[in-house]
Amino acid sequence: MLTALYCPIPARCAPDPESIDRESIAWMTRLKMYGNARQRVALENLRVGYFACLTIPDGAQEEEERRTRRRHQLWSDTLMLLVAVDDALFDEPDMREAEETALVCLHMDRILENPTDDIEEGDLWWPVTAVRELMLRAAELATPAQLERWISSLRSTVLGGLLRNQLLCAPLTLNDYVAVRLTEGAVQNFMATVPIVGGYELPPGARLDGRVCALGDMANFLAMWDNDLFGHARETFHSQRYGHPVLPNAVNILSRERDVSPQEAMRLAIAVRDQVMKLFLQLSDEVLLDADPVLARYVHALGCFVPGYLEWALKITDRYARTFDLTETGEVAEFPLPSVCSEPSEEISEEELDLPVIARWREQLACDNRSANGCP
């Protein structure tokens, strides 16, 4: 039995996630955003509209319903693209040259700079078309400053994913792995999208506050770490069944670095997760003590992301709990997932993640000299 994760910040779902989900599936289908039939079925069952509404429930205020819905649809469709790219180009690619994947990623980056460029024809070029469509929609909803941050976050996610793909066979240290994952995860785009969906502008001083940066990093880490905990069994199965590369995963790396069994590495990973969650809650409380209404909305949104992701991963989507084998017998493989408690455990493990890349998080607690602790 795995140690229970806990989720103390409740998330409320924005209106009509089912309709937003249907629109994302239709968009995915129109652009053929998948590498094979099994990936298409996985995306259809992703229920990404629920993810989008659970993780950003706070929509724009005093705005007509149609425009508010468009903001949530942008976030849902962006998530659909990022998962599709992750599956088709990085995690479960069909047999093709790595150089071809790199070229697609570079063209995705290029189209963000020049959305009017022509796009090549071919089965692998749907990510470039999708990125252009998303950027043009974001430009209609975002301020120029918001759009710039949104583009930067999407670039970081795509090129960071390409870097992770290039390092699949390298014996990554846990510090290197966390550094790559904090760069390439979808949470970067989440933090840029929150003000767009909410219809407000977070002042630069607030965005660059060391405490706020640390909160964003911790929300990013928690989502990445939870993804590794939930996806470990599924990734192992896919590697064994379909010959996909063994993906870097916090559990696998902890097992190797600590020289422990995968079961003990899972226990250590959950203990570390609980420690980061505890720190996230403490720092959130401190920031909210003197936060203005805009910053308070943003910090609340970061808090919603963590339980929103858990609610989606454990109760709504099938992505981590089972996989459909469309290439052989059509059987369904099911995987055990950790349980979630509504309150923190009475005795939180003292396991700590002593890594240089995240050492500054704890330094932000009760820190009065905030200007000296800005984001690097």
Side-chain angles (χ1 to χ4, degrees), residues 21-327:
D21 191 54
R22 287 196 301 269
E23 289 294 327
S24 289
I25 292 172
W27 186 63
M28 176 270 292
T29 304
R30 176 169 62 83
L31 294 185
K32 298 182 179 179
M33 291 168 48
Y34 41 81
N36 54 50
R38 184 165 48 80
Q39 290 174 2
R40 176 182 57 77
V41 171
L43 291 170
E44 287 177 348
N45 288 278
L46 191 62
R47 307 197 81 180
V48 71
Y50 286 84
F51 185 110
C53 293
L54 282 166
T55 51
I56 311 184
D58 184 18
Q61 299 174 348
E62 298 180 358
E63 192 172 78
E64 72 274 15
E65 181 179 347
R66 180 175 176 274
R67 190 170 174 85
T68 299
R69 177 195 164 90
R70 287 175 63 202
R71 296 176 187 273
H72 277 97
Q73 195 69 57
L74 172 68
W75 175 223
S76 180
D77 290 354
T78 303
L79 289 166
M80 180 67 87
L81 171 65
L82 294 178
V83 175
V85 167
D86 209 38
D87 285 353
L89 269 64
F90 302 144
D91 291 356
E92 304 175 2
D94 293 329
M95 297 302 293
R96 60 173 174 271
E97 296 296 327
E99 290 81 359
E100 193 170 11
T101 294
L103 282 173
V104 172
C105 291
L106 290 173
H107 279 282
M108 291 169 71
D109 180 74
R110 177 66 183 174
I111 210 71
L112 285 167
E113 185 73 25
N114 296 284
T116 59
D117 282 357
D118 291 335
I119 298 175
E120 288 191 40
E121 297 292 332
D123 292 339
L124 275 181
W125 292 91
W126 52 261
V128 186
T129 301
V131 164
R132 176 161 65 188
E133 289 192 11
L134 287 173
M135 180 182 171
L136 294 175
R137 286 158 55 187
E140 294 179 353
L141 298 169
T143 67
Q146 287 174 338
L147 182 62
E148 182 179 18
R149 289 192 295 274
W150 186 88
I151 291 172
S152 177
S153 71
L154 203 58
R155 276 179 158 166
S156 178
T157 298
V158 171
L159 297 183
L162 178 60
L163 173 61
R164 178 168 62 95
N165 194 52
Q166 297 293 326
L167 295 172
L168 280 177
C169 298
L172 288 176
T173 67
L174 195 58
N175 189 66
D176 290 339
Y177 174 69
V178 171
V180 172
R181 290 286 269 146
L182 289 177
T183 300
E184 59 91 21
V187 187
Q188 292 282 350
N189 188 258
F190 160 79
M191 290 185 286
T193 305
V194 163
I196 297 175
V197 174
Y200 61 86
E201 188 78 56
L202 192 66
R207 286 191 297 103
L208 297 177
D209 186 306
R211 303 171 305 162
V212 178
C213 289
L215 285 175
D217 270 356
M218 281 187 276
N220 195 348
F221 176 92
L222 287 165
M224 173 271 288
W225 209 254
D226 287 344
N227 182 271
D228 281 10
L229 294 177
F230 302 151
H232 182 258
R234 175 178 175 269
E235 290 170 5
T236 301
F237 174 86
H238 281 197
S239 176
Q240 294 171 349
R241 174 62 67 91
Y242 305 112
H244 297 148
V246 178
L247 301 173
N249 181 289
V251 177
N252 293 337
I253 297 175
L254 273 171
S255 178
R256 187 188 72 238
E257 288 197 351
R258 302 287 183 92
D259 193 22
V260 297
S261 68
Q263 293 76 18
E264 176 62 12
M266 179 68 78
R267 187 198 68 78
L268 289 172
I270 293 175
V272 166
R273 193 264 184 204
D274 285 351
Q275 280 293 307
V276 175
M277 185 71 185
K278 179 181 177 182
L279 179 59
F280 177 81
L281 294 173
Q282 289 174 332
L283 187 55
S284 294
D285 288 343
E286 286 193 6
V287 172
L288 288 172
L289 285 175
D290 59 0
D292 62 32
V294 172
L295 179 57
R297 286 184 68 185
Y298 181 75
V299 172
H300 174 73
L302 293 179
C304 283
F305 184 85
V306 179
Y309 173 81
L310 290 176
E311 177 79 10
W312 172 80
L314 295 174
K315 298 180 181 179
I316 295 177
T317 186
D318 287 336
R319 183 169 178 82
Y320 305 111
R322 58 184 57 87
T323 191
F324 298 92
D325 185 355
L326 300 182
T327 62

